[in-house]
Every structure is written in C-alpha cells, then in structure tokens.
C-alpha cells in the first residue's frame, strides 16, 4: 500500500470519528434541552397515571359505600319515626298518658333528631398500607457518608416512664440482632426486655423481679449483649457488681466484684468489660472466668493521660481487636490497639463542651466497617460521627436541644445499628428507643 492511499484511509477513519462525535454531541444537547424525555421520567409519568386511576377507582368505591350507608341510616330513621308517630296517635286517641309517657316520647324524638343530624355511623381513617405501589429512585452513585432521617420513629417505649410492657424506665444499653429485635437494658425497671421487630410491647427475658441480688434478680443493668448462635445473653448487672449470663431462664455469675458498665464480644471468643471504678477495660476468654482477666485499656489509675481512663462506660471492639472506650469524665473516646500500652484520642479530648471538637459525658460508641466512630454525646443530646485523625466531628442526629420531639434526644446512651444501617438510640430521659432510618 502506497503512502497516499494509506493517508486517504486514515482521513476516512477520522471523518467517521468526527461524525460519531457530532452525533454524540447532538444527543447530549437534546438531553440537556429536553430532560423530560428521559426514559425514567416517562416511567414515572406512567406510574402517576396508573396511580391516579387507582385513586379514582377507590374514591368511587368509597362514595358508593357512603351513599349506601347513608340511605340505610335514613330508612332506619323513617321506620323509627313512623313507630313514634303511631305511639303519639294512640295516646291522643285513647287520651291516656302521664308524665312518664311524655318524657319517653320526648327522649325518643331527641334520639331520632340526633340520628338525623348525624346519620352516618361511619368515619374515615387513614390506612398505613397503601394500595398504590410506591417507587424508589436508586442511584448507583452513593454518598461517601451515610445520612439518616432527622425525625425518628419510636421503636420501643415512648409511653412515658413506667414498668408496663409497653414502657421503659431509663433505658441504657441496647443490642440489635440480625432480625432487628431490640434487647434493652431497662435499668430503672431492673430487667432486660426484648422488643420483637415492629412490636408494640416488649417481653421480659431477664430480671423483672424487682431490684435485688438473688439469681433471678437484677440491679440497675447497664448493658446487654446477645450470643445469637448459642442463644444466651450476657448482662452488666452493675448495681450488683457482677456480670451474669442468662440462658433459657437459667442464670450463672460469670464475673464477681466488678463495677461493670459496658460489654463487648469479638469474633475470637473474648468478652470485654469496662470497670468504671478501676478505670479500666478487661477481657476474658469466653468460658474461662476463674482468672482475673487481662487489662486491655486503662488500668493505670484515675486520670487524663493517654494510658489512663476516667470513668469508662461503653466499649466497642473492632475486627483487629482494637478497643474503643467512651472515657466519660475525660469527655473523649479512646482507641487502644491490641497489646498497646496507651490509647489514642479519636473523638473529643478538648474538654467538656458543645463545639464540634468536643464531647460532654460520651456514652454509647459504635464503629462502622469504614472505621468511622459514632458516639452518643449524652450531655449535648446528640449523636456525633468522627473520622479517626480529624480535629472535629459532625452531628449525625439530635443536636436540636434537649426535648421529646422526634428530632430531639434527652441524654442519649446506648447506640446500635441493624443490618440495614438504621441507627438506634437509647433516649434515656425520654424512656424510649429511637430508630433513625438511613437515607438511601
């Protein structure tokens, strides 16, 4: 092939590419000018038409029901009216009646008049189960950070402070299992309560026999974890200074004489317990509690140094067995790597306060699979998210002042996520568990 012929071929290919480019550019301009021609827009329009048609059909059905019911009511009133008229005519004809008879007629007339004024004994009620198929617009481009609806649903409690099965009394730690059942350390009621998914009441699965130190009793439990595989629960029975296991209503004390507060288990079969009195976190191999356990965080006295803790509360253990500790009176969250001699501040640590670089008496702590740290900022009535190494966090939910509205919290304590990443918060002083749904 000679050079001129080769150049002609290349020129022809360039021409084809130019044409394809111009066609593509024209398509982009058309989509920019006519965004309503998008295939999804057409699908949404068709969904709208179908939904309106369903609504019109339902509305006509309901009108016919009301008209039929109204006619039935009027017919009933007419029958009563005729009966009353006959009684009046009979009294007039016989000319025999007294005050009792007149009162009876008067009451009958009032009753019929009320029925006529309010003929329908039916009413409208919203049905939460929609007959219209809702649609979801799902984008494959997800935000780097999850966000949650700011108005929560009450998943448990919320019926004022009390000891009934639909109430909580200063709920503390919570645990969500794979079926979205909620296990609550109902501290003020000295019991552990399980609320099945979407249940209206809970069921007592431990304690609930008044405050006490007998085996079937609890005293101000602060945390609970569930071994779903082996079907037992472990409880921080704080007021009795013991960690106990309940399995099929059988109890045994695992650890004695410990001012236990928070609990955690890792995938290697270790149990972790925070001790708010000794300012430390210890771990035990599951089933081997006869020894004193191993200190994995703190244990160097009460203080604010990196190797110390000051009233540790809730804890979390990640895949690498790093321990995250809510260091309550130091207003910070510490991360202690496995076998470390001191911890690292990963949230707060700038004194008590409400700024974004501060915490106030932190409680519940959870770390997601990206290493982002979620903290129940109890004194600030909010939940914060911190990325390790950042100078400040961000408010995830709450932060609208203390209160009992759906976008407010009052001393949040325990935190947990379900498998869909909905966020659950033990809203202590509102005696409820709030569920903040994730925004997909």
């Amino acid at each position: 092939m000679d050079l001129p012929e080769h150049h002609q071929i290349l020129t022809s290919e360039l021409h084809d590419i130019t044409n394809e480019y111009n066609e593509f550019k024209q398509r982009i301009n058309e989509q920019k000018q006519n965004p309503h021609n998008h295939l999804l827009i057409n699908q949404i329009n068709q969904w709208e038409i179908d939904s309106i048609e369903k609504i019109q059909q339902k509305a006509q059905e309901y009108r016919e029901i009301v008209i039929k019911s109204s006619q039935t009511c009027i017919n009933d009133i007419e029958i009563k009216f005729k009966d009353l008229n006959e009684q009046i005519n009979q009294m007039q004809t016989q000319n025999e009646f007294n005050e009792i008879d007149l009162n009876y007629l008067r009451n009958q007339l009032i009753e019929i008049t009320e029925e006529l004024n309010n003929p329908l004994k039916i009413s409208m009620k919203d049905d939460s189960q929609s007959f219209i198929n809702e649609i979801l617009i799902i984008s494959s481009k997800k935000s780097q950070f999850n966000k949650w609806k700011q108005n929560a649903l009450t998943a448990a409690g919320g019926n004022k402070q009390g000891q009934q099965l639909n109430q909580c009394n200063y709920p503390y730690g919570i645990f969500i299992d794979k079926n979205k059942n909620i296990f609550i350390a109902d501290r003020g009621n000295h019991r552990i309560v399980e609320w099945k998914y979407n249940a209206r009441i809970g069921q007592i699965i431990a304690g609930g026999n008044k405050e006490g130190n007998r085996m079937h009793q609890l005293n101000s439990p602060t945390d609970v974890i569930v071994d779903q595989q082996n079907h037992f629960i472990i409880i921080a029975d704080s007021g009795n200074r013991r960690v106990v296991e309940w399995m099929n209503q059988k109890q045994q004390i695992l650890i004695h004489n410990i001012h236990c507060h928070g609990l955690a288990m890792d995938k290697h079969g270790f149990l972790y317990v925070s001790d708010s009195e000794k300012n430390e976190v210890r771990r035990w191999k599951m089933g081997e509690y006869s020894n004193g356990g191993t200190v994995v965080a703190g244990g160097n006295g009460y203080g604010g140094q990196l190797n110390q803790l000051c009233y540790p509360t809730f804890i979390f253990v990640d895949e690498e067995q790093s321990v995250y500790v809510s260091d309550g009176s130091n207003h910070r969250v510490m991360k202690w790597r496995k076998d470390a001699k001191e911890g690292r501040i990963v949230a707060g640590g700038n004194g008590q306060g409400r700024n974004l670089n501060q915490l106030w008496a932190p409680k519940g702590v959870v770390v997601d699979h990206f290493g982002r740290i979620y903290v129940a900022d109890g004194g600030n009535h909010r939940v914060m998210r911190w990325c390790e190494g950042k100078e400040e966090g961000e408010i995830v939910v709450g932060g609208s002042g203390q209160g009992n509205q759906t976008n407010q919290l009052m001393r949040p304590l325990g935190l947990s996520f379900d498998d869909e990443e909905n966020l659950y918060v033990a809203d202590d002083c509102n005696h409820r568990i709030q569920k903040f749904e994730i925004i997909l």
Side-chain angles (χ1 to χ4, degrees):
M1 183 184 295
D2 57 11
L3 189 61
E5 186 180 353
H6 180 66
H7 185 267
Q8 187 178 359
I9 293 172
L10 293 178
T11 303
S12 176
E13 290 180 357
L14 177 60
H15 181 71
D16 291 341
I17 292 171
T18 303
N19 286 339
E20 289 180 12
Y21 168 79
N22 289 331
E23 289 177 6
F24 182 72
K25 184 177 180 182
Q26 185 177 354
R27 285 177 60 193
I28 290 177
N29 289 333
E30 286 175 356
Q31 288 193 17
K32 286 173 68 178
Q33 292 172 5
N34 301 294
H36 291 285
N37 288 338
H38 195 287
L39 178 61
L40 281 177
I41 296 295
N42 293 333
Q43 291 177 3
I44 292 171
N45 292 340
Q46 187 60 48
W47 170 79
E48 180 184 26
I49 293 169
D50 294 342
S51 299
I52 291 172
E53 186 178 339
K54 286 184 179 180
I55 291 172
Q56 290 174 335
Q57 290 174 353
K58 282 290 182 182
Q60 185 58 33
E61 288 179 22
Y62 298 149
R63 289 189 197 99
E64 291 174 0
I65 291 172
V66 171
I67 290 170
K68 185 176 179 180
S69 298
S70 177
Q71 192 59 51
T72 301
C73 288
I74 291 174
N75 291 341
D76 290 343
I77 291 171
E78 281 187 330
I79 292 171
K80 291 181 180 179
F81 183 78
K82 288 179 181 179
D83 182 59
L84 181 64
N85 185 48
E86 289 177 3
Q87 292 181 60
I88 292 173
N89 290 336
Q90 184 178 359
M91 288 183 186
Q92 288 176 337
T93 302
Q94 295 178 355
N95 199 27
E96 290 183 5
F97 51 87
N98 54 33
E99 291 180 353
I100 296 175
D101 295 328
L102 293 178
N103 285 333
Y104 169 76
L105 293 176
R106 190 177 292 109
N107 290 333
Q108 286 293 300
L109 188 59
I110 291 171
E111 186 178 316
I112 294 171
T113 303
E114 286 180 352
E115 284 192 40
L116 186 63
N117 292 335
N118 303 283
L120 296 182
K121 296 192 176 179
I122 57 175
S123 61
M124 247 175 60
K125 183 179 179 182
D126 289 335
D127 186 354
S128 60
Q129 293 184 343
S130 174
F131 57 86
I132 299 172
N133 294 324
E134 294 187 9
I135 58 175
L136 295 174
I137 305 300
I138 302 172
S139 173
S140 59
K141 291 186 177 180
K142 284 196 172 182
S143 170
Q144 183 181 1
F145 294 105
N146 291 336
K147 292 185 178 180
W148 289 266
K149 294 179 182 179
Q150 293 302 297
N151 291 294
L153 304 172
T154 298
N159 297 300
K160 299 182 179 180
Q161 177 183 4
Q163 60 184 6
Q164 301 302 315
L165 291 179
N166 69 338
Q167 295 177 307
C168 293
N169 186 0
Y170 295 107
Y172 217 86
I174 55 176
F175 183 96
I176 314 296
D177 72 8
K178 61 185 178 182
N179 297 316
K180 298 185 180 63
N181 302 318
I182 309 170
F183 296 80
I184 307 168
D186 192 8
R187 183 179 40 144
N189 284 324
H190 313 290
R191 66 189 184 186
I192 305 298
V193 183
E194 178 185 3
W195 285 63
K196 298 289 188 182
Y197 180 57
N198 281 342
R200 295 183 179 274
I201 62 172
Q203 60 185 42
I204 300 169
I205 58 171
N209 300 302
K210 298 183 179 180
E211 173 185 349
N213 60 5
R214 296 189 177 187
M215 288 303 297
H216 69 293
Q217 294 177 308
L218 298 172
N219 184 354
S220 302
T222 52
D223 207 2
V224 57
I225 53 177
V226 181
D227 188 312
Q228 299 173 72
Q229 184 176 355
N230 297 307
H231 308 293
F232 64 79
I233 62 173
I234 296 176
I235 305 164
D237 189 10
S238 184
N240 285 324
R241 300 175 62 87
R242 65 189 184 187
V243 176
V244 294
E245 177 187 284
W246 283 58
M247 184 175 183
N248 298 325
Q249 293 300 314
K250 294 180 181 178
Q251 311 88 28
Q252 65 169 322
I253 299 174
L254 304 182
I255 305 167
H256 297 262
N257 193 29
I258 181 171
H259 197 264
C260 48
H261 204 118
L263 302 173
M265 278 193 302
D266 69 19
K267 64 181 181 180
H268 301 287
F270 286 95
L271 173 67
Y272 298 74
V273 186
S274 66
D275 188 327
S276 298
E277 187 176 85
K278 293 182 178 178
N279 300 294
E280 65 185 18
V281 178
R282 287 180 179 261
R283 80 173 191 182
W284 285 260
K285 183 68 177 176
M286 299 283 282
E288 300 175 9
Y289 303 107
S290 57
N291 57 47
T294 303
V295 176
V296 293
N300 296 297
Y302 177 99
Q305 301 300 314
L306 292 179
N307 68 340
Q308 295 178 306
L309 297 171
C310 187
Y311 199 76
T313 56
F314 287 88
I315 53 178
F316 181 89
V317 181
D318 68 13
E319 295 289 310
E320 283 75 43
Q321 294 182 300
S322 293
V323 181
Y324 296 78
V325 188
S326 274
D327 192 9
S329 295
N330 281 323
H331 312 289
R332 66 188 185 184
V333 175
M334 301 294 291
K335 178 182 179 180
W336 287 64
R337 295 188 181 277
K338 185 180 179 183
D339 300 325
K341 299 301 180 184
E342 64 179 30
R344 176 183 177 185
I345 300 171
V346 291
N350 297 297
Q352 173 184 319
R354 61 186 58 168
N355 295 323
L356 292 179
N357 68 339
Q358 295 178 303
L359 297 170
W360 182 355
K363 289 293 192 289
V365 58
V366 179
V367 183
D368 68 16
H369 53 278
F370 293 111
R372 297 182 294 235
I373 304 143
Y374 296 81
V375 188
D377 190 7
N380 287 318
H381 316 290
R382 64 191 184 186
V383 177
M384 300 282 289
R385 173 169 56 203
W386 291 67
C387 294
E388 188 173 345
K390 296 293 184 181
E391 293 296 323
E392 61 181 35
E394 61 178 322
I395 299 171
V396 173
V397 296
S400 301
Q402 70 176 43
N404 60 5
Q405 300 302 309
T406 57
N407 67 337
Q408 293 180 308
L409 300 168
M410 191 179 294
R411 209 170 84 99
L413 298 180
L415 289 184
S416 191
F417 288 103
D418 64 22
D419 57 1
E420 294 178 351
E421 297 186 88
N422 299 306
L423 174 62
Y424 296 75
V425 184
D427 191 9
D428 184 51
C429 295
N430 283 322
H431 313 290
R432 64 189 183 184
I433 309 301
Q434 295 294 81
K435 176 184 178 181
F436 293 89
E437 295 182 307
I438 191 169
I439 299 173
L440 297 173

PDB file of all heavy atoms in Angstrom, residues 256-270:
ATOM      1  N   HIS A 256     -17.373 -11.812  89.237  1.00  0.00           N
ATOM      2  CA  HIS A 256     -17.785 -11.237  90.515  1.00  0.00           C
ATOM      3  C   HIS A 256     -17.024  -9.929  90.789  1.00  0.00           C
ATOM      4  O   HIS A 256     -15.941  -9.690  90.244  1.00  0.00           O
ATOM      5  CB  HIS A 256     -17.487 -12.203  91.678  1.00  0.00           C
ATOM      6  CG  HIS A 256     -18.243 -13.494  91.610  1.00  0.00           C
ATOM      7  ND1 HIS A 256     -19.403 -13.713  92.320  1.00  0.00           N
ATOM      8  CD2 HIS A 256     -17.993 -14.643  90.916  1.00  0.00           C
ATOM      9  CE1 HIS A 256     -19.826 -14.951  92.083  1.00  0.00           C
ATOM     10  NE2 HIS A 256     -18.992 -15.532  91.230  1.00  0.00           N
ATOM     11  N   ASN A 257     -17.609  -9.118  91.659  1.00  0.00           N
ATOM     12  CA  ASN A 257     -16.929  -7.958  92.237  1.00  0.00           C
ATOM     13  C   ASN A 257     -16.290  -7.051  91.175  1.00  0.00           C
ATOM     14  O   ASN A 257     -15.095  -6.789  91.196  1.00  0.00           O
ATOM     15  CB  ASN A 257     -15.857  -8.408  93.249  1.00  0.00           C
ATOM     16  CG  ASN A 257     -15.364  -7.250  94.102  1.00  0.00           C
ATOM     17  OD1 ASN A 257     -16.095  -6.288  94.356  1.00  0.00           O
ATOM     18  ND2 ASN A 257     -14.114  -7.316  94.535  1.00  0.00           N
ATOM     19  N   ILE A 258     -17.115  -6.600  90.256  1.00  0.00           N
ATOM     20  CA  ILE A 258     -16.640  -5.693  89.213  1.00  0.00           C
ATOM     21  C   ILE A 258     -17.701  -4.615  88.984  1.00  0.00           C
ATOM     22  O   ILE A 258     -18.887  -4.934  88.853  1.00  0.00           O
ATOM     23  CB  ILE A 258     -16.330  -6.454  87.903  1.00  0.00           C
ATOM     24  CG1 ILE A 258     -15.818  -5.493  86.825  1.00  0.00           C
ATOM     25  CG2 ILE A 258     -17.525  -7.257  87.419  1.00  0.00           C
ATOM     26  CD1 ILE A 258     -15.288  -6.188  85.584  1.00  0.00           C
ATOM     27  N   HIS A 259     -17.260  -3.371  88.977  1.00  0.00           N
ATOM     28  CA  HIS A 259     -18.200  -2.268  88.734  1.00  0.00           C
ATOM     29  C   HIS A 259     -18.408  -2.157  87.228  1.00  0.00           C
ATOM     30  O   HIS A 259     -17.976  -1.204  86.581  1.00  0.00           O
ATOM     31  CB  HIS A 259     -17.660  -0.963  89.332  1.00  0.00           C
ATOM     32  CG  HIS A 259     -18.718   0.082  89.476  1.00  0.00           C
ATOM     33  ND1 HIS A 259     -18.918   1.060  88.542  1.00  0.00           N
ATOM     34  CD2 HIS A 259     -19.636   0.293  90.457  1.00  0.00           C
ATOM     35  CE1 HIS A 259     -19.902   1.844  88.932  1.00  0.00           C
ATOM     36  NE2 HIS A 259     -20.359   1.399  90.088  1.00  0.00           N
ATOM     37  N   CYS A 260     -19.062  -3.184  86.682  1.00  0.00           N
ATOM     38  CA  CYS A 260     -19.200  -3.308  85.232  1.00  0.00           C
ATOM     39  C   CYS A 260     -20.132  -2.239  84.666  1.00  0.00           C
ATOM     40  O   CYS A 260     -21.072  -1.792  85.323  1.00  0.00           O
ATOM     41  CB  CYS A 260     -19.728  -4.694  84.865  1.00  0.00           C
ATOM     42  SG  CYS A 260     -21.169  -5.203  85.828  1.00  0.00           S
ATOM     43  N   HIS A 261     -19.837  -1.834  83.456  1.00  0.00           N
ATOM     44  CA  HIS A 261     -20.649  -0.804  82.812  1.00  0.00           C
ATOM     45  C   HIS A 261     -20.982  -1.204  81.378  1.00  0.00           C
ATOM     46  O   HIS A 261     -22.131  -1.383  81.029  1.00  0.00           O
ATOM     47  CB  HIS A 261     -19.916   0.544  82.831  1.00  0.00           C
ATOM     48  CG  HIS A 261     -20.832   1.712  82.728  1.00  0.00           C
ATOM     49  ND1 HIS A 261     -20.961   2.666  83.705  1.00  0.00           N
ATOM     50  CD2 HIS A 261     -21.698   2.082  81.753  1.00  0.00           C
ATOM     51  CE1 HIS A 261     -21.852   3.566  83.343  1.00  0.00           C
ATOM     52  NE2 HIS A 261     -22.311   3.240  82.153  1.00  0.00           N
ATOM     53  N   GLY A 262     -19.947  -1.331  80.519  1.00  0.00           N
ATOM     54  CA  GLY A 262     -20.156  -1.700  79.130  1.00  0.00           C
ATOM     55  C   GLY A 262     -19.640  -3.089  78.822  1.00  0.00           C
ATOM     56  O   GLY A 262     -18.731  -3.595  79.487  1.00  0.00           O
ATOM     57  N   LEU A 263     -20.218  -3.722  77.784  1.00  0.00           N
ATOM     58  CA  LEU A 263     -19.839  -5.077  77.376  1.00  0.00           C
ATOM     59  C   LEU A 263     -19.573  -5.111  75.874  1.00  0.00           C
ATOM     60  O   LEU A 263     -20.150  -4.338  75.111  1.00  0.00           O
ATOM     61  CB  LEU A 263     -20.961  -6.069  77.692  1.00  0.00           C
ATOM     62  CG  LEU A 263     -21.435  -6.207  79.130  1.00  0.00           C
ATOM     63  CD1 LEU A 263     -22.662  -7.116  79.180  1.00  0.00           C
ATOM     64  CD2 LEU A 263     -20.330  -6.762  80.012  1.00  0.00           C
ATOM     65  N   ALA A 264     -18.694  -6.028  75.465  1.00  0.00           N
ATOM     66  CA  ALA A 264     -18.471  -6.277  74.039  1.00  0.00           C
ATOM     67  C   ALA A 264     -17.925  -7.681  73.868  1.00  0.00           C
ATOM     68  O   ALA A 264     -17.283  -8.230  74.768  1.00  0.00           O
ATOM     69  CB  ALA A 264     -17.503  -5.253  73.451  1.00  0.00           C
ATOM     70  N   MET A 265     -18.199  -8.275  72.701  1.00  0.00           N
ATOM     71  CA  MET A 265     -17.624  -9.568  72.333  1.00  0.00           C
ATOM     72  C   MET A 265     -16.915  -9.408  70.994  1.00  0.00           C
ATOM     73  O   MET A 265     -17.339  -8.617  70.155  1.00  0.00           O
ATOM     74  CB  MET A 265     -18.720 -10.634  72.192  1.00  0.00           C
ATOM     75  CG  MET A 265     -19.179 -11.254  73.490  1.00  0.00           C
ATOM     76  SD  MET A 265     -20.189 -12.752  73.217  1.00  0.00           S
ATOM     77  CE  MET A 265     -21.533 -12.134  72.222  1.00  0.00           C
ATOM     78  N   ASP A 266     -15.830 -10.166  70.796  1.00  0.00           N
ATOM     79  CA  ASP A 266     -15.199 -10.143  69.486  1.00  0.00           C
ATOM     80  C   ASP A 266     -15.378 -11.501  68.802  1.00  0.00           C
ATOM     81  O   ASP A 266     -15.911 -12.452  69.384  1.00  0.00           O
ATOM     82  CB  ASP A 266     -13.720  -9.735  69.574  1.00  0.00           C
ATOM     83  CG  ASP A 266     -12.846 -10.789  70.259  1.00  0.00           C
ATOM     84  OD1 ASP A 266     -13.262 -11.957  70.359  1.00  0.00           O
ATOM     85  OD2 ASP A 266     -11.740 -10.436  70.717  1.00  0.00           O
ATOM     86  N   LYS A 267     -14.949 -11.587  67.557  1.00  0.00           N
ATOM     87  CA  LYS A 267     -15.151 -12.804  66.767  1.00  0.00           C
ATOM     88  C   LYS A 267     -14.232 -13.947  67.195  1.00  0.00           C
ATOM     89  O   LYS A 267     -14.412 -15.089  66.752  1.00  0.00           O
ATOM     90  CB  LYS A 267     -14.921 -12.492  65.286  1.00  0.00           C
ATOM     91  CG  LYS A 267     -13.504 -12.075  64.944  1.00  0.00           C
ATOM     92  CD  LYS A 267     -13.363 -11.767  63.464  1.00  0.00           C
ATOM     93  CE  LYS A 267     -11.929 -11.370  63.116  1.00  0.00           C
ATOM     94  NZ  LYS A 267     -11.773 -11.055  61.673  1.00  0.00           N
ATOM     95  N   HIS A 268     -13.275 -13.648  68.056  1.00  0.00           N
ATOM     96  CA  HIS A 268     -12.334 -14.677  68.521  1.00  0.00           C
ATOM     97  C   HIS A 268     -12.784 -15.324  69.834  1.00  0.00           C
ATOM     98  O   HIS A 268     -12.048 -16.135  70.399  1.00  0.00           O
ATOM     99  CB  HIS A 268     -10.942 -14.070  68.709  1.00  0.00           C
ATOM    100  CG  HIS A 268     -10.385 -13.456  67.450  1.00  0.00           C
ATOM    101  ND1 HIS A 268      -9.934 -14.200  66.395  1.00  0.00           N
ATOM    102  CD2 HIS A 268     -10.238 -12.156  67.102  1.00  0.00           C
ATOM    103  CE1 HIS A 268      -9.510 -13.398  65.434  1.00  0.00           C
ATOM    104  NE2 HIS A 268      -9.681 -12.154  65.836  1.00  0.00           N
ATOM    105  N   GLY A 269     -13.962 -14.944  70.321  1.00  0.00           N
ATOM    106  CA  GLY A 269     -14.483 -15.572  71.529  1.00  0.00           C
ATOM    107  C   GLY A 269     -14.007 -14.943  72.818  1.00  0.00           C
ATOM    108  O   GLY A 269     -13.883 -15.629  73.843  1.00  0.00           O
ATOM    109  N   PHE A 270     -13.752 -13.635  72.801  1.00  0.00           N
ATOM    110  CA  PHE A 270     -13.369 -12.919  74.018  1.00  0.00           C
ATOM    111  C   PHE A 270     -14.493 -11.990  74.461  1.00  0.00           C
ATOM    112  O   PHE A 270     -15.181 -11.379  73.633  1.00  0.00           O
ATOM    113  CB  PHE A 270     -12.093 -12.097  73.800  1.00  0.00           C
ATOM    114  CG  PHE A 270     -10.838 -12.918  73.724  1.00  0.00           C
ATOM    115  CD1 PHE A 270     -10.330 -13.323  72.494  1.00  0.00           C
ATOM    116  CD2 PHE A 270     -10.163 -13.296  74.878  1.00  0.00           C
ATOM    117  CE1 PHE A 270      -9.171 -14.088  72.415  1.00  0.00           C
ATOM    118  CE2 PHE A 270      -8.998 -14.053  74.803  1.00  0.00           C
ATOM    119  CZ  PHE A 270      -8.503 -14.449  73.578  1.00  0.00           C
TER     120      PHE A 270
END
